[in-house]
Amino acid sequence: MTQLAVLDMAGTTIEEHGAVYEALRHAVESTGATVAAADLQTWMGTDKREAIASLVRIGGGSPDAQLVERQYGVFRTYLTRRYEEVPPQPIAHADKALAELRARGIKVALTTGFSDDVALPLLASLGWSTGEGGNLDAVVTSDEVERGRPAPYMIHRAMEKTGVVDVREVLVAGDTTVDLEAGANAGAGVVVGVLTGRLTRGQLEAGPHTHVVDSVADIPGLPELLS
């Protein structure tokens, strides 16, 4: 029986119109490194500082801690501007899906490769929150763990925050391959790819998964959640 749904933010529960993709590309290319689309997509769901360092290195640069921190600032500034121009919004019917899961007694946690200073204002802009009257049971950002996806630590941290102890009772969902890999690495009983990001069904099905669905809105209808 599923006790906890751990869902990615951007591209899975939140429609942010490709702003993260653009901001990450800008942060890397402004160092003079070149970025292949396939490499950019590979690192999309990961911790953004780690993504910047890896993509600069792949693109021919030599990132050090100072450069990574500077370019993370570039990423954050670009992303903030894009969010002001085109405000993020919930994926269609995501609010209803979250409410339905919680109404069945399934706790809902969001995880993200964003740090607190990006993730928390984004959630606040949507009116999403934890605590009394909120629509979430936990939020885990990249600041809280030693390594981001595909490491399982954010999922395990969400379990810790929500009091869930059996990974077989956890559902993980995301729109990138690293989301699915993190779910598999965590030992989650259900690992779901959603098609509201940039990957095709075939690309998601090439990763570890139990289901690939059109949207987070389809998750409450999965057989494991109806039993």
Side-chain angles (χ1 to χ4, degrees):
M1 180 178 177
T2 300
Q3 299 289 331
L4 171 65
V6 180
L7 312 174
D8 173 51
M9 283 177 49
T12 300
T13 53
I14 300 173
E15 172 57 75
E16 45 81 57
H17 311 287
V20 175
Y21 187 94
E22 295 173 18
L24 186 56
R25 177 185 287 278
H26 174 73
V28 175
E29 289 185 337
S30 61
T31 69
T34 57
V35 184
D39 292 331
L40 186 62
Q41 186 58 58
T42 295
W43 288 91
M44 270 290 290
T46 64
D47 173 83
K48 296 305 177 282
R49 288 181 173 87
E50 186 178 353
I52 289 167
S54 297
L55 287 167
V56 168
R57 188 176 297 110
I58 291 168
S62 300
D64 56 23
Q66 184 177 4
L67 180 144
V68 169
E69 199 59 35
R70 183 182 73 239
Q71 294 312 115
Y72 180 76
V74 171
F75 166 83
R76 187 176 57 187
T77 298
Y78 187 99
L79 187 65
T80 298
R81 185 172 69 249
R82 288 288 288 115
Y83 281 174
E84 290 172 352
E85 294 169 352
V86 185
Q89 59 196 47
I91 291 285
H93 308 298
D95 288 297
K96 180 180 177 182
L98 301 186
E100 186 172 348
L101 292 172
R102 298 183 83 215
R104 295 185 198 171
I106 299 171
K107 296 176 181 179
V108 174
L110 298 188
T111 61
T112 178
F114 295 154
S115 54
D116 284 353
D117 56 354
V118 176
L120 300 184
L122 172 57
L123 292 174
S125 74
L126 301 177
W128 289 10
S129 66
T130 59
E132 187 175 354
N135 66 332
L136 304 169
D137 295 288
V139 174
V140 180
T141 70
S142 62
D143 291 329
E144 300 182 53
V145 293
E146 185 67 25
R147 288 195 60 190
R149 307 181 190 110
Y153 306 141
M154 286 199 290
I155 297 166
H156 292 160
R157 178 67 175 139
M159 293 173 64
E160 182 180 10
K161 283 188 168 186
T162 56
V164 174
V165 298
D166 190 340
V167 292
R168 294 169 298 181
E169 296 178 345
V170 176
L171 175 150
V172 174
D175 66 301
T176 69
T177 301
V178 292
D179 292 319
L180 306 184
E181 291 171 349
N185 289 338
V190 184
V191 179
V192 184
V194 299
L195 292 168
T196 46
R198 288 177 172 261
L199 296 187
T200 65
R201 179 176 292 275
Q203 289 172 316
L204 286 174
E205 288 179 344
H209 69 283
T210 58
H211 306 277
V212 174
V213 298
D214 290 335
S215 165
V216 68
D218 299 314
I219 288 176
L222 293 176
E224 291 89 346
L225 277 65
L226 295 173
S227 58

